[in-house]
Amino acid sequence: MVKILFINPVIREEDNPKHIPYGIALLAAIAINDGHQVQVYDANAWRKGDEVLEQVCAADDWDIIAIGGLTTAFGYIKKACKIVRRINPQTFILAGGGFLTSMPREIMDWMPEIDLGVVGEAFVTFPVVLRMFDEHKLIKIPLDFQKTLGIIYRKSNGTPVLNGVRPNIPNLDALPWPAWELFPLDIYFANSKLLFSEESFTSKRRLDVNGSLGCNLICRYCWHLGTTGDMVIEENEDGINDVRFTYGRNIRYHSPDYIVNMVQYLRDTYDIDFISFIDENMMTMDAYSKRTWIFDLCEAWIAAGLQPTCRSKGIPHDDSCKGVHWGGTSHATLHRKESLEHMFKAGCSQLVYGLESFDRDILKTLGKGSTREKNINSVAICQSAGINPIPNIIIGFPEETFESIRNTITALLELGIHAKPHFATAYPGSEWYYDYKDSIIEQYKGNLEAYIADLGDATKITATISHRFSAMELLGLQKIVELRDLRLLELTQIHWNEADQFMKPLATPKTSFNMVKKKIQAPLAKVVG
Ligand code: SF4
């Protein structure tokens, strides 16, 4: 038995904690099922400061302290690892999640406190490492990680070694349910409200569910980090193993029964009234399953008595509504009216659409497979099914021009939508991160780590990947899109036309070992380990 402390890092300090860390909760459940002793310090929910973290570290004789998250949590993870090492010099520090998988070699260099990193999908690797750790304690031999797939470990001299990729599990239903009971759910429930629909805004007890892993599209700003079958590990030109991200895909989804049984349990145990599906793209699963997955999920939802009364009786939603509403992610090209109508009937109230742009040429460069017309029509199709579409808009793409910005504004005006666009940001693991890595490093005066640390603040403009626009222009254009002000856009364009001839692009693409623009499939295990 191993005594493990999980630390959930603080993410986006300016925002309330709204989502339990699904991955940590799953790994905690897996470890408990294997007989290990597990505790969680949810720094993100509690927000108690470093002193409390120190107290937690000192509170027990932890065998392993495990920490992980997305790249946006990098700053806190780095700080926390230093604290852990100072307070618990002998404790084994294990890290995992997107921040590590996207750049395992750099992270091990930047964070010498980490003893071992789980790279890619951790469902099998994590319990394997725990078992090895347990045996090592019992028979007192040094741990030998040479043959363990899916990890980066340190040799005795501290040099990190990245092992081969761990095959993805084929059957997600083999996973236990997340260990919700280890988290301060009251804090999450207090932040249940999401300003996406009436039902989500009036929610009192909302939790997340992840129904699937993967997405078959290849949006160049998006990352999947091994969980979608996109990652292989190969020797680079220096003969050292490194991660390579590809267009390979292992599409996997939970059975409708697994999901509905879990939601029923959550309703019976915690009286939840809303579920946020955090799937990357639920419509991929619908298309991949030949249009059966969403239909079966909705049927099972209704049969299990989870359908809200406002939907079963066809009456307006109010405080007396019983049942569980839900929201998720959709796609302008993959959604179908029939699926949406079914989803509405079962209680779906909102769907996030990554529309990103309404410019034909920009859309062609994204890898999203959508068009201006499909993007425009998607809003009406979703609304006609009774579901609130939540459009996501981005500016600052590599090929962005005044014309493409104009096309986005005219579509927003046509649709009657207001949107404050995000900036196209090259997160590690995305195709554009590797294409523009050199430009990014240049914009951060040679300090890649400073860029990674900056990614924790979503409101910040970091490195631009636009060939034409600088950070100053993008900040102005963001405001102009938000205002939907075509007059200001025209004035800006006239002014900048003169200056354009003297401008030199900040970002220029180049090829990288870490990104293979081909469909190289990561292995899929034959049996669930
Ligand atoms: S559709 Fe969404 S999840 Fe899929 S690749 Fe594009 S951004 Fe990523």
Side-chain angles (χ1 to χ4, degrees):
M1 179 267 293
V2 180
K3 199 184 282 184
I4 315 154
L5 170 70
F6 280 98
I7 299 175
N8 181 32
V10 175
I11 176 170
R12 306 224 155 105
E13 232 153 330
E14 71 285 356
D15 204 3
N16 291 328
K18 293 193 176 73
H19 304 278
I20 57 155
Y22 206 81
I24 292 180
L26 259 177
L27 293 177
I30 290 172
I32 291 168
N33 286 355
D34 282 356
H36 304 294
Q37 271 190 359
V38 179
Q39 276 292 355
V40 171
Y41 175 57
D42 194 338
N44 192 41
W46 280 307
R47 308 272 170 108
K48 293 286 188 196
D50 298 347
E51 235 173 77
V52 173
L53 174 60
E54 288 175 17
Q55 289 164 12
V56 172
C57 290
D60 210 332
D61 197 9
W62 310 108
D63 294 317
I64 291 180
I65 294 189
I67 190 161
L70 292 175
T71 299
T72 43
F74 170 76
Y76 184 89
I77 294 174
K78 177 155 179 160
K79 180 179 74 169
C81 282
K82 282 188 193 306
I83 292 174
V84 172
R85 182 51 77 232
R86 180 162 51 79
I87 305 290
N88 307 58
Q90 303 306 324
T91 301
F92 194 81
I93 299 182
L94 195 149
F99 93 101
L100 182 106
T101 297
S102 61
M103 40 168 57
R105 306 199 64 81
E106 285 98 333
I107 293 291
M108 293 298 268
D109 285 344
W110 296 339
M111 296 166 72
E113 300 84 10
I114 297 176
D115 293 304
L116 180 137
V118 174
V119 179
E121 194 166 278
F123 305 135
V124 176
T125 309
F126 183 61
V128 163
V129 170
L130 293 187
R131 263 200 305 278
M132 289 174 73
F133 203 86
D134 212 5
E135 285 161 13
H136 151 82
K137 278 200 311 181
L138 291 174
I139 51 178
K140 303 248 180 292
I141 50 159
L143 279 165
D144 178 4
F145 288 117
Q146 276 187 61
K147 295 200 177 109
T148 312
L149 294 177
I151 60 159
I152 184 162
Y153 70 101
R154 289 191 195 277
K155 291 202 280 199
S156 51
N157 64 3
T159 311
V161 180
L162 177 61
N163 286 351
V165 72
R166 167 89 53 188
N168 289 137
I169 63 167
N171 173 18
L172 293 189
D173 281 5
L175 296 173
W177 295 343
W180 296 281
E181 65 281 3
L182 298 180
F183 294 83
L185 293 182
D186 284 353
I187 296 176
Y188 291 105
F189 288 146
N191 296 312
S192 283
K193 294 184 190 327
L194 296 177
L195 195 51
F196 284 160
S197 64
E198 186 191 346
E199 295 85 344
S200 70
F201 193 63
T202 53
S203 158
K204 295 181 183 64
R205 295 170 85 79
R206 176 184 54 80
L207 279 177
D208 296 344
V209 161
N210 191 25
S212 62
L213 285 172
C215 170
N216 63 347
L217 298 168
I218 53 157
C219 300
R220 298 187 162 89
Y221 52 88
C222 185
W223 66 93
H224 307 284
L225 305 174
T227 56
T228 197
D230 56 311
M231 184 185 73
V232 292
I233 292 171
E234 286 170 353
E235 280 187 4
N236 63 19
E237 51 276 15
D238 299 325
I240 299 168
N241 271 0
D242 205 353
V243 287
R244 307 189 90 183
F245 296 101
T246 80
Y247 295 161
R249 294 293 183 261
N250 293 329
I251 300 290
R252 294 161 297 156
Y253 43 85
H254 281 296
S255 67
D257 282 349
Y258 177 100
I259 296 170
V260 164
N261 288 341
M262 188 155 91
V263 176
Q264 257 183 324
Y265 167 81
L266 291 174
R267 187 190 55 175
D268 296 346
T269 312
Y270 301 115
D271 195 23
I272 56 140
D273 57 11
F274 201 97
I275 286 293
S276 291
F277 279 96
I278 55 170
D279 304 47
E280 287 187 277
N281 179 354
M282 291 179 92
M283 287 303 154
T284 283
M285 305 302 147
D286 193 41
Y288 188 80
S289 66
K290 302 201 169 45
R291 304 297 180 185
T292 58
W293 188 63
I294 291 279
F295 184 85
D296 292 347
L297 177 62
C298 294
E299 289 294 296
W301 197 276
I302 294 167
L306 297 170
Q307 183 189 31
T309 41
C310 67
R311 301 292 163 85
S312 59
K313 294 187 176 162
I315 55 174
H317 175 73
D318 62 22
D319 258 6
S320 65
C321 189
K322 296 270 177 296
V324 183
H325 283 275
W326 50 285
T329 45
S330 192
H331 185 275
T333 303
L334 298 176
H335 73 176
R336 285 189 326 161
K337 199 159 185 305
E338 299 86 322
S339 310
L340 295 171
E341 283 168 356
H342 243 81
M343 292 161 88
F344 174 79
K345 197 169 135 205
C348 180
S349 71
Q350 79 236 5
L351 288 169
V352 175
Y353 285 78
L355 301 180
E356 327 309 9
S357 171
F358 289 94
D359 180 77
R360 278 186 189 91
D361 295 334
I362 291 288
L363 284 166
K364 274 188 206 152
T365 66
L366 296 191
K368 187 152 212 126
S370 193
T371 62
R372 177 180 168 88
E373 292 69 30
K374 290 222 152 117
N375 271 3
I376 289 177
N377 290 340
S378 69
V379 175
I381 291 171
C382 185
Q383 272 171 336
S384 73
I387 298 172
N388 237 18
I390 312 296
N392 195 38
I393 305 294
I394 299 178
I395 61 166
F397 291 115
E399 309 290 343
E400 198 83 80
T401 61
F402 282 108
E403 197 50 35
S404 62
I405 298 276
R406 181 173 291 108
N407 287 331
T408 290
I409 297 178
T410 54
L412 293 177
L413 286 165
E414 189 182 320
L415 290 165
I417 291 176
H418 285 271
K420 181 175 180 178
H422 300 284
F423 298 112
T425 304
Y427 286 95
S430 70
E431 181 171 334
W432 277 339
Y433 170 75
Y434 299 108
D435 286 358
Y436 293 98
K437 193 170 166 189
D438 283 0
S439 303
I440 292 167
I441 292 173
E442 215 175 294
Q443 290 174 58
Y444 273 78
K445 297 190 176 158
N447 188 348
L448 182 64
E449 192 182 345
Y451 171 66
I452 302 301
D454 256 3
L455 293 174
D457 184 349
T459 58
K460 204 165 171 173
I461 185 158
T462 55
T464 76
I465 54 170
S466 167
H467 296 178
R468 175 172 186 158
F469 296 121
S470 68
M472 180 183 81
E473 291 157 289
L474 287 173
L475 283 162
L477 290 169
Q478 183 192 44
K479 193 74 198 164
I480 287 172
V481 174
E482 192 185 353
L483 294 169
R484 305 185 304 183
D485 195 326
L486 290 170
R487 182 189 66 84
L488 274 183
L489 182 73
E490 196 181 331
L491 271 180
T492 313
Q493 185 174 8
I494 291 168
H495 179 72
W496 279 99
N497 270 348
E498 300 274 305
D500 257 1
Q501 55 185 308
F502 304 109
M503 304 299 266
K504 107 173 182 279
L506 273 173
T508 41
K510 75 164 206 15
T511 56
S512 155
F513 170 83
N514 299 103
M515 183 70 221
V516 195
K517 300 179 185 184
K518 281 196 288 196
K519 217 172 173 114
I520 301 177
Q521 200 92 341
L524 196 59
K526 292 208 170 44
V527 286
V528 178

